[in-house]
Amino acid sequence: MTEIDAKTDALVPAWLTLPDVAEKLGVEVTRVRQLVKEGQLIAVRRGENRVLMVPADFIGENRIVKGLIGTITLLKDDDFTDEEMLEWLFTPDDTLPGTPAQALRENRGTEVKRRAQALAV
């Protein structure tokens, strides 16, 4: 868990605190912390209180957005830091179109994973 720079922070349209994520997923906060620890979610410290937060786009209807965990795994395997992953996931790509995070939310994860795999080549 890192603190992100202003440029990357500005790419992410909305953030959720860990208790907010827990409420949306219907689980305890300790489970959300475990998901972060296991690398299934990315959480970074933000704001003057340095509160751990997760991008709101990572959470769908009572679950983590389909394809996110696999995409995070691919990026981690390519030695991306949490900040680099957020930058990649939230940087607009005209060929998608939109951002990879947006494509995952719209159930276009196959193309996102293909692009993540291509980064390793």
Side-chain angles (χ1 to χ4, degrees):
M1 291 165 276
T2 57
E3 192 164 344
I4 61 171
D5 66 26
K7 178 185 148 218
T8 305
D9 187 66
L11 290 173
V12 180
W15 296 89
L16 297 170
T17 62
L18 297 191
D20 290 340
V21 172
E23 184 178 321
K24 287 189 175 291
L25 295 178
V27 298
E28 297 293 323
V29 175
T30 53
R31 177 64 184 137
V32 176
R33 290 185 186 281
Q34 188 66 32
L35 291 169
V36 171
K37 185 178 179 183
E38 292 171 354
Q40 296 183 42
L41 278 176
I42 300 169
V44 294
R45 297 203 176 273
R46 295 184 65 245
E48 56 187 57
N49 293 336
R50 299 192 32 164
V51 175
L52 273 176
M53 300 186 103
V54 172
D57 283 348
F58 288 176
I59 309 301
E61 293 289 322
N62 299 320
R63 63 184 178 90
I64 296 170
V65 170
K66 181 180 175 185
L68 178 67
I69 295 170
T71 302
I72 289 173
T73 300
L74 287 169
L75 295 173
K76 278 187 184 288
D77 287 350
D78 200 29
D79 295 326
F80 273 56
T81 65
D82 287 352
E83 188 169 350
E84 290 168 335
M85 284 189 272
L86 289 174
E87 186 174 340
W88 186 81
L89 285 163
F90 287 95
T91 297
D93 181 340
D94 292 337
T95 64
L96 263 175
T99 67
Q102 183 181 4
L104 287 171
R105 286 190 68 80
E106 295 170 357
N107 204 23
R108 296 185 286 135
T110 303
E111 185 59 29
V112 173
K113 286 183 190 172
R114 189 175 297 129
R115 289 163 193 254
Q117 287 171 326
L119 294 171
V121 176

